[in-house]
Amino acid sequence: MAVLSRFHLFLAIIFTLIALAAVFSAATAQSVITVSNIEVQGNQRIEDETIKSFFGIHEGQRITPQDVDEGLSALFRSNQFADASVSLRGSKLVIDVVENPVISLISFEGNKRLQNDELQQEIGLRPRDVFTQAKLLADTKRVQELYRRSGRYLVKVDPKIINLEQNRVNLVFEIDEGQKATIARVDFVGNGAISGDKLRNVVRTKETKWWRFFSSDDNYDPDRLAFDQELLRRYYVANGYADFRVADTRVELSPDQESFFVTFVVDEGAAYNFAEIHVESEIPDISTEELAEVAVSHEGEMFNAEEVEKTVTAITDRLGDLGYAFVQVDPRYNRNPEDKTIGIDYVVQQGPRVYIEEINIVGNVRTLDEVVRREFLLAEGDPYNASKLKRSEQRVRNLGFFSDVNVKNLPGSSPDKARIQLAVEEQSTGELTFGAGFSTADGALGDVSVVERNLLGKGQYLKLNFTAASSRQQVDISFTEPYFMGKDIAAGFDLFKIQRDGNSSRTNRTFDDEILGGTVRASYPITEYLTHSVRYSLREDTISDVDSAASQFIQRQEGTNVTSLVGHSFIYDKRDNRQLPRDGYFIRLNQDVAGLGGDSKFFRHEVRGAMYQPLDDEKDYVVKLSGNAGHIAGFGGEDVRINHRFFVGNNEVRGFDNEGIGPRDSASGDPLGGNIYAAASAEVGFPLGLPEELGFRGALFADAGTLYESDEVSTATSTVLDSNALRASLGVGLSWNSPLGPIRIDFSEAVAKEDYDETETVQFSFGTRF
C-alpha cells in the first residue's frame, strides 16, 4: 500500500507540472499580439503618420507589452505631447495623445534693468516653438541667473501661461526685479600681518559706497568671490607668505535681505625670506654663474613666488639667446620651517627635442591670417621655444584687434612634433569719437575723430581727426601700413592743416599763422625695444594779419614760406604702459635737415626722455624724471624763421604762461622763440587716501628750463631780450580720472625767472570722449 501511495503522489506531481506549463504557454500566447490596425486620436496639429513614426510600431508587427512601453517613452521624448496613452481593442492599437501647445507670443513684464531684447536672446523658447514645462522651467531659471549676475539676487520670476484657441498659448514672464543685492561689508578673519584695509584694496569685491555708481564691483557675484580668493593668494605669496590659504568664504544675507556680508577666513602662515639661490645645469658648457646673474630674487629678500616665475623665464630666455632651444628650468624649493627661509635651486635640464609642425589660427573672421602670423616669433619647422611662444602671444594681444587670445599646445603627428593653435576672439577696431575739453593754452576745444585700427582686416591704421578751439583749428589724416611690402617696416603718411589765431586771448601771438603740409614716413625695429624711423615732410607756413603794434621782427617775416625736410629718429622704449606708464623709461632722438628744395635751410636736433620709478610694489607712488632739449641752426646764410624756432611755456615749465619763456621784443612784448632750449621735470605722483576707484591722485613737481639764442638782432627801436638763465618752478597737482575723461589742475609758482618772462599760477585741463 505504501508503494502504491508513493506512485499516486508521483503521478499527481507530474500532472500538476504539465498543467502549469500549459497555463504559462497560454498566457504567453495571449501577451504577444499581431497588430492589425493602428488608430491615432486626439491630435490636432501633428499628422497621424508622424505620430506612428514616433511610436515605432507598424501594422502587422507582433508586439509585447514591453514594445508598447518603449513606444510611449518615444512619444514623450519627442517633446510634442503633454500626455499620451495606448490601449488594445482586440488586435487594433489605439494611440490617444494630448499635444503640447504652440507658443504664439512671449512677453516680459516688470523688467526695467534688462531690456526685452536682451532677455529674449538668452532664453531658449521662441514664438512658434512647441511649449513644454521643462523648457519653461529652464528659461525661468535663466532669467533669474541673468538678474543675479547684475547683482539682483532677490529677483522673482513668475511665468504665466495664457491658453488660446487652436492649442496655442502666450507666455508672460512677470518679473519683480527687487533691490540690487549689494555688498554691505567685506571683512577678513585670521589676518594679523596685513590689515583689512590693504586686503580690501586687493580683492575685486567692494563695499557699497555712493561714488561707485559707475562700477558693479559692489554687486554680489560668486564668480568674483572665487577670483578674489586667487587675488588674495597671489598677494600673500608675493609678500613672503608661502603657506597662505583661504580657509573659507562666508556670505550672509543682511537682516533686511537687501545686501550681503562677505567674510574671508584666511590662514596667513609664516612669512619666509629667500635662502641661498643656486643655478644647477645638467647641460655641459653652460655657465651657471652667467645664468645666476639674471635671477630676479636674491638671498635675504622677502620670498616672492612671482619672482621665482620671472627668474625661470629669464633663465629660459638667456639660454634661448645662447641657442639652447630644448631646455627646461625646474625650480626646486628648499623650505626650512625653523628659520622661515626658502632656498631655490634652479635646475637646468635638457628637454626633449620638439619641433613645431603646424601653427593654426582660429576665430579670426575678419582679420587676415597673415596679420596674426607675422607677430609670431616662431614658424613651422622651428624648434619649440616656450619663451618665444609666450612673447608671440603677447605681441598678438598688443595688436588690440582681439578681446581674447589663447594659445594651446597640441600633439603632433609624432612625439618630436607639436602643433600650436592660436584661438582669438575679434573685437571692434573702429572708433567714432567726439571730444570736448578746456585748457588754459587753447581754451574750449572740441574734436571729432574717426579711427580704424584694422582696416579691411589687414592691420592697417587710418585716422581722421578734426579739432576746433578758440585759438586753433586743426585737421589731420594719418595712414599706416604696419608691414609694408611684406617686410617688418611700418610705412605711412600724414596730411595736416593747422590754423592759429593770434588775436585770441588764449595766445600771446600778434599774428595769424597757417600750416599746410604732409609727411611720408617709415620705421623698422632694430631690436625688440629699439626702433628707427625716417621721414620726409613738405609744408607751407603762412604768417598773415600781423598786428600793426607787433614786433618789427615779426612784421619782416609776414608772408609764405615752404619747407622741404628730411629727418630720422631713434626710439628706445621700455615703459610698462605707453598710455599710463608707472615703470620703465624711454628716450627719443630726432634729427632733421631742411634745404632740399623750399625756402628754409636749417639743421635741427632734439632729444626727449622720461624715466618712471615706482616706490612701492603696488606702484601707487611713482617718481617721474623727464627732460628734453633741442637745437636748431640755419645754414647757407639763412636765419631760422620764427615758425621753425622753439617756444617754451607751460607745457615744459609749469608756472609760466604759454610761450612765456625765452627771447622777447622789449618794445611790443612779443615772444620771438629761440634756437636752443632745455627743460627738465621731477614729479612724484601719489594717492590721496581716497578709494582707488574714485581715480584721484596728487602730485608734487619741480620744473626747470631755458630758451635762448634768437637770430634777431636788436635795433635802435627794439631790443631783443635774451638770456640763457635757468627758469624754475615748484607746484602741486591734482588729477582725476573721471568717468567723463581725465581732469588735471596744477598750482605752481615760478621761483626763478627773468623780468620779461610771463607767468601763470593755475593751469587747468579737461577732456573727454563719448
Side-chain angles (χ1 to χ4, degrees):
M1 292 294 293
V3 174
L4 185 61
S5 297
R6 290 191 190 99
F7 179 73
H8 287 162
L9 178 61
F10 176 75
L11 289 178
I13 292 173
I14 293 298
F15 283 123
T16 301
L17 292 174
I18 293 173
L20 289 173
V23 171
F24 178 77
S25 176
T28 303
Q30 289 179 356
S31 63
V32 178
I33 299 174
T34 300
V35 178
S36 62
N37 187 25
I38 299 176
E39 180 180 335
V40 179
Q41 298 178 354
N43 54 319
Q44 301 178 26
R45 172 174 47 83
I46 304 174
E47 298 292 336
D48 289 359
E49 294 303 320
T50 301
I51 296 176
K52 291 178 182 179
S53 67
F54 286 150
F55 195 71
I57 294 176
H58 56 80
E59 295 175 354
Q61 179 178 340
R62 291 169 60 83
I63 64 171
T64 64
Q66 183 179 355
D67 295 327
V68 174
D69 290 342
E70 291 178 355
L72 277 173
S73 297
L75 287 177
F76 284 113
R77 284 198 302 270
S78 69
N79 289 326
Q80 299 291 327
F81 308 103
D83 195 11
S85 63
V86 177
S87 60
L88 286 171
R89 299 175 186 175
S91 61
K92 183 170 72 172
L93 188 86
V94 179
I95 304 173
D96 196 356
V97 298
V98 177
E99 294 176 340
N100 277 326
V102 174
I103 300 172
S104 179
L105 177 68
I106 299 176
S107 62
F108 304 90
E109 294 182 357
N111 55 308
K112 297 178 181 178
R113 303 295 175 180
L114 298 178
Q115 301 300 314
N116 290 350
D117 292 343
E118 297 177 72
L119 296 172
Q120 184 63 68
Q121 289 175 2
E122 293 291 339
I123 65 174
L125 289 171
R126 297 286 186 271
R128 295 184 296 278
D129 282 357
V130 175
F131 168 81
T132 67
Q133 288 290 344
K135 290 181 179 179
L136 179 62
L137 178 61
D139 282 349
T140 300
K141 291 182 178 179
R142 178 60 178 161
V143 173
Q144 290 174 331
E145 178 64 23
L146 290 173
Y147 272 98
R148 286 171 179 170
R149 285 187 181 181
S150 64
R152 297 188 175 269
Y153 271 77
L154 305 179
V155 64
K156 296 179 181 178
V157 181
D158 185 15
K160 300 292 185 182
I161 304 171
I162 302 175
N163 295 308
L164 305 175
E165 298 177 350
Q166 300 178 352
N167 200 25
R168 293 178 298 113
V169 295
N170 287 344
L171 293 184
V172 180
F173 290 90
E174 294 183 353
I175 301 172
D176 180 4
E177 295 181 328
Q179 295 294 321
K180 181 180 289 188
T182 54
I183 305 298
R185 192 170 66 241
V186 177
D187 291 322
F188 298 88
V189 175
N191 58 309
I194 301 177
S195 69
D197 289 338
K198 284 188 176 181
L199 295 180
R200 289 185 187 94
N201 290 328
V202 173
V203 297
R204 283 281 307 277
T205 300
K206 304 296 184 183
E207 296 178 353
T208 299
K209 302 294 181 182
W210 65 267
W211 60 78
R212 291 199 172 101
F213 49 85
F214 283 109
S215 171
S216 62
D217 288 345
D218 58 347
N219 296 341
Y220 173 61
D221 186 343
D223 293 335
R224 187 186 294 127
L225 288 179
F227 181 57
D228 285 339
Q229 295 182 38
E230 176 62 16
L231 291 177
L232 288 170
R233 188 195 68 80
R234 293 179 188 176
Y235 182 77
Y236 266 95
V237 297
N239 285 275
Y241 294 87
D243 299 328
F244 172 83
R245 68 186 184 93
V246 178
D248 191 17
T249 302
R250 301 171 185 169
V251 180
E252 302 175 45
L253 193 61
S254 64
D256 59 6
Q257 296 190 338
E258 292 184 356
S259 58
F260 288 93
F261 302 140
V262 176
T263 303
F264 294 95
V265 181
V266 302
D267 181 4
E268 292 181 326
Y272 287 77
N273 289 331
F274 280 110
E276 293 184 357
I277 298 175
H278 300 285
V279 178
E280 302 176 6
S281 174
E282 299 179 1
I283 304 175
D285 303 326
I286 291 293
S287 171
T288 55
E289 291 79 8
E290 182 182 357
L291 296 180
E293 292 177 357
V294 304
V296 177
S297 49
H298 301 89
E299 182 179 354
E301 295 179 349
M302 180 179 63
F303 173 78
N304 188 331
E306 293 180 356
E307 290 185 356
V308 175
E309 294 300 321
K310 290 179 180 178
T311 300
V312 170
T313 301
I315 293 176
T316 304
D317 290 347
R318 177 62 61 87
L319 289 169
D321 295 338
L322 296 174
Y324 294 90
F326 306 104
V327 295
Q328 292 179 342
V329 181
D330 180 22
R332 298 178 182 177
Y333 297 83
N334 303 315
R335 188 187 300 259
N336 189 333
E338 294 181 1
D339 60 8
K340 302 297 184 293
T341 60
I342 298 177
I344 309 291
D345 292 331
Y346 295 97
V347 180
V348 180
Q349 300 171 315
Q350 183 71 49
R353 291 184 174 270
V354 179
Y355 295 86
I356 297 176
E357 180 180 14
E358 187 179 40
I359 298 176
N360 289 324
I361 302 168
V362 298
N364 54 318
V365 178
R366 179 167 173 263
T367 305
L368 300 180
D369 266 17
E370 65 180 46
V371 173
V372 181
R373 196 174 295 275
R374 65 197 182 196
E375 298 300 325
F376 261 72
L377 302 177
L378 297 167
E380 282 95 347
D382 286 352
Y384 180 88
N385 187 305
S387 177
K388 286 186 177 181
L389 185 61
K390 184 177 181 180
R391 289 204 302 269
S392 298
E393 179 183 358
Q394 186 60 48
R395 283 165 61 96
V396 175
R397 290 183 184 275
N398 289 341
L399 289 173
F401 303 161
F402 310 108
S403 60
D404 189 32
V405 178
N406 185 26
V407 173
K408 291 183 179 179
N409 295 323
L410 304 175
S413 59
S414 60
D416 64 340
K417 295 179 181 179
R419 293 187 298 115
I420 306 298
Q421 177 178 287
L422 178 71
V424 298
E425 184 176 333
E426 292 186 319
Q427 64 182 0
S428 175
T429 56
E431 300 174 4
L432 172 62
T433 57
F434 300 87
F438 177 85
S439 73
T440 50
D442 293 320
L445 60 88
D447 71 86
V448 179
S449 180
V450 180
V451 177
E452 174 54 63
R453 294 178 283 111
N454 188 15
L455 186 65
L456 303 177
K458 297 180 178 180
Q460 298 168 338
Y461 177 88
L462 176 65
K463 178 180 180 179
L464 307 176
N465 186 77
F466 308 90
T467 302
S470 58
S471 61
R472 175 172 59 92
Q473 296 80 44
Q474 185 168 343
V475 179
D476 296 282
I477 302 175
S478 295
F479 175 81
T480 302
E481 166 56 62
Y483 278 77
F484 183 63
M485 298 182 68
K487 306 295 183 181
D488 194 5
I489 300 175
F493 65 84
D494 306 295
L495 302 176
F496 51 88
K497 182 179 181 180
I498 305 172
Q499 290 181 304
R500 288 179 288 198
D501 183 7
N503 295 319
S504 169
S505 59
R506 295 292 172 184
T507 178
N508 293 323
R509 297 190 176 192
T510 53
F511 61 92
D512 295 344
D513 66 334
E514 178 179 298
I515 305 172
L516 177 64
T519 299
V520 291
R521 49 185 164 71
S523 65
Y524 59 94
I526 299 176
T527 67
E528 185 174 357
Y529 302 106
L530 178 61
T531 302
H532 182 236
S533 66
V534 294
R535 58 188 170 273
Y536 171 76
S537 296
L538 182 66
R539 56 182 273 183
E540 179 185 81
D541 293 72
T542 301
I543 295 177
S544 62
D545 196 18
V546 180
D547 192 278
S548 59
S551 168
Q552 59 176 305
F553 306 114
I554 296 176
Q555 294 182 19
R556 292 177 192 166
Q557 300 194 30
E558 185 173 10
T560 299
N561 171 260
V562 176
T563 302
S564 175
L565 176 148
V566 293
H568 75 116
S569 299
F570 286 100
I571 308 101
Y572 192 83
D573 194 339
K574 292 199 70 173
R575 289 174 293 179
D576 61 344
N577 186 308
R578 295 186 180 183
Q579 304 301 321
L580 295 171
R582 294 195 177 185
D583 197 359
Y585 63 92
F586 84 94
I587 187 168
R588 180 185 183 110
L589 171 65
N590 300 326
Q591 292 181 306
D592 300 292
V593 57
L596 303 178
D599 306 318
S600 298
K601 295 181 180 180
F602 60 81
F603 292 107
R604 181 170 59 200
H605 309 274
E606 193 169 11
V607 61
R608 295 177 175 271
M611 182 182 72
Y612 303 84
Q613 178 61 51
L615 301 179
D616 60 329
D617 293 336
E618 289 77 19
K619 298 183 180 181
D620 288 333
Y621 296 84
V622 180
V623 173
K624 174 187 175 183
L625 302 176
S626 61
N628 49 302
H631 175 257
I632 186 171
F635 66 89
E638 294 284 339
D639 289 337
V640 179
R641 292 175 58 85
I642 191 171
N643 50 292
H644 294 306
R645 295 174 193 157
F646 298 114
F647 287 86
V648 174
N650 49 27
N651 288 330
E652 293 78 20
V653 185
R654 286 161 287 193
F656 290 84
D657 201 358
N658 186 35
E659 302 180 353
I661 293 175
R664 193 173 297 273
D665 187 330
S666 63
S668 66
D670 290 333
L672 302 176
N675 295 346
I676 300 175
Y677 88 97
S681 176
E683 177 175 308
V684 55
F686 52 87
L688 296 175
L690 299 172
E692 183 178 353
E693 59 268 26
L694 285 181
F696 285 100
R697 286 182 63 81
L700 296 174
F701 59 84
D703 295 344
T706 184
L707 173 68
Y708 60 96
E709 194 175 293
S710 171
D711 284 338
E712 307 298 347
V713 179
S714 299
T715 66
T717 58
S718 295
T719 301
V720 178
L721 304 174
D722 191 357
S723 171
N724 62 1
L726 192 68
R727 283 76 157 179
S729 66
L730 299 174
V732 297
L734 174 65
S735 63
W736 179 30
N737 190 19
S738 76
L740 300 178
I743 298 175
R744 168 124 185 183
I745 184 169
D746 290 318
F747 301 90
S748 50
E749 180 70 26
V751 295
K753 66 182 186 68
E754 294 299 299
D755 293 338
Y756 55 85
D757 291 334
E758 296 188 1
T759 60
E760 182 179 68
T761 303
V762 181
Q763 292 174 263
F764 174 82
S765 63
F766 162 74
T768 188
R769 296 272 181 202
F770 52 87

